[in-house]
Amino acid sequence: MALFGMFDYEKAGRGVSKNAPKKKSFFAFFELYFRYWWRLVKLNLLTFIFCIPVVTIGPAIAGMTRVLKNYTLDKNAFIFHDFWKGFSQNWKQSLPIGLLDALFTVSAITAFQVYPQMADAAVEAGGSGTIYNVLCVLSISFALTLLMMNFYIMPMIVATNLSLKDIVKNSFYLTCVGLKKNIFTLLIVALIVVMFVLFVLTGSASGLILIPIWAISFTGFVVMYNSYPLIQKYVINPYYEERGMDNPEYDYLKPLSAEESVFTDMGGQEAPIESKKKKKGKIIS
């Protein structure tokens, strides 16, 4: 029957073919993000709470990363269970990384403020401030490189059994290999940081509410979506290929056997249903 003459629900739709072309990365990202949007809000709040003691920032990010890895692969995750698993199983490696990140962040901010002032003072004294400008540029370059390495360090802590030394070495390698994608990710992260700096400067309390409910998980999701495919390509997949094995992370994409499958995929094969002609009723005079 057609509802108000608009739709006929007795006709079969097109269905969804399993061989349908993949969407472009930009549209696939937002489709995936909004699919897990409410879960990401809860994950953000959970991560924010666990980051409050400061020293637990590293393990908290590891817990969040474990959940985000599943969402990036479009796999289910039990938010608290998987978060706590990532937190408790990876705290030995993630704790020093979190503390070092905090230390380097403070050092970088200090360098950005001190070196320009020293350069100006040197010029006013009749000397040259070139050396201080060079040191400032080197500090910025080092800070940006370290930030992009962080796009890979925590995901590898969660997804591999590598030593921390190998993780740091691989993260630097992946930072160089995926430089174009890393710069794009860096711009998004910078945009979010600038947005919250503006909230602070304008005294917008409502904007700051986005930190505990949105900003952390959204930034992490962007990083995982752009960075984890490179980790799979250059770190995880080669490990299994050397051993003649398939990466188990792709198991959910494999077709089920006849014994395992419950339903048959009929996407794009539905036959139209012929609607029966309705008989006209008799008129009682």
Side-chain angles (χ1 to χ4, degrees):
M1 180 183 72
L3 181 62
F4 303 118
M6 296 173 62
F7 304 104
D8 189 350
Y9 293 102
E10 292 183 353
K11 291 184 178 181
R14 292 180 300 173
V16 180
S17 175
K18 62 182 179 181
N19 297 318
K22 292 184 178 180
K23 296 182 179 180
K24 292 184 178 181
S25 182
F26 178 81
F27 299 103
F29 168 82
F30 282 104
E31 180 180 318
L32 199 60
Y33 176 77
F34 285 113
R35 186 178 305 162
Y36 296 105
W37 177 80
W38 180 240
R39 299 183 190 181
L40 289 170
V41 170
K42 292 187 283 187
L43 177 63
N44 196 108
L45 184 59
L46 181 64
T47 306
F48 180 79
I49 292 172
F50 273 78
C51 283
I52 291 177
V54 180
V55 294
T56 59
I57 288 178
I61 299 300
M64 180 186 71
T65 301
R66 180 182 175 88
V67 179
L68 291 178
K69 179 174 75 72
N70 280 7
Y71 290 164
T72 302
L73 297 173
D74 201 11
K75 296 169 64 177
N76 183 46
F78 296 98
I79 296 176
F80 186 80
H81 172 78
D82 285 279
F83 176 90
W84 180 250
K85 200 170 182 179
F87 184 102
S88 59
Q89 291 183 352
N90 301 286
W91 71 268
K92 289 183 179 180
Q93 290 183 319
S94 60
L95 181 63
I97 292 297
L99 294 176
L100 285 173
D101 282 343
L103 177 63
F104 283 129
T105 300
V106 173
S107 300
I109 293 173
T110 303
F112 300 157
Q113 293 177 342
V114 171
Y115 285 135
Q117 293 176 0
M118 294 177 71
D120 293 339
V123 171
E124 291 176 1
S128 174
T130 304
I131 183 63
Y132 300 112
N133 291 327
V134 171
L135 289 173
C136 185
V137 171
L138 290 176
S139 298
I140 294 173
S141 301
F142 180 76
L144 292 177
T145 302
L146 186 64
L147 179 57
M148 289 188 287
M149 287 174 62
N150 271 274
F151 297 163
Y152 302 97
I153 290 177
M154 206 62 74
M156 278 193 285
I157 287 177
V158 171
T160 69
N161 293 321
L162 296 173
S163 66
L164 194 56
K165 178 182 176 182
D166 290 334
I167 287 174
V168 172
K169 181 178 67 176
N170 287 337
S171 67
F172 179 75
Y173 170 75
L174 292 173
T175 298
C176 298
V177 171
L179 187 59
K180 183 178 178 181
K181 184 172 286 189
N182 294 331
I183 291 175
F184 177 74
T185 305
L186 189 63
L187 290 174
I188 296 176
V189 173
L191 184 63
I192 295 173
V193 171
V194 169
M195 181 179 68
F196 283 105
V197 169
L198 292 176
F199 284 147
V200 172
L201 294 177
T202 56
S204 175
S206 59
L208 294 177
I209 296 175
L210 293 175
I211 295 178
I213 66 172
W214 173 77
I216 303 173
S217 64
F218 178 78
T219 304
F221 191 80
V222 170
V223 170
M224 284 296 296
Y225 187 84
N226 287 335
S227 303
Y228 198 66
L230 287 176
I231 297 175
Q232 288 181 313
K233 182 178 180 179
Y234 292 105
V235 179
I236 298 177
N237 290 348
Y239 171 85
Y240 288 104
E241 289 171 0
E242 288 177 0
R243 291 158 178 76
M245 302 166 61
D246 294 329
N247 185 349
E249 290 180 327
Y250 297 136
D251 285 348
Y252 74 103
L253 297 175
K254 296 178 181 178
L256 296 174
S257 63
E259 293 78 12
E260 295 174 319
S261 60
V262 179
F263 302 102
T264 302
D265 184 3
M266 298 294 292
Q269 302 179 29
E270 293 87 348
I273 301 174
E274 295 182 1
S275 57
K276 297 179 180 179
K277 294 182 179 180
K278 295 182 179 180
K279 297 181 180 179
K280 294 182 179 180
K282 294 182 179 180
I283 299 175
I284 301 175
S285 56

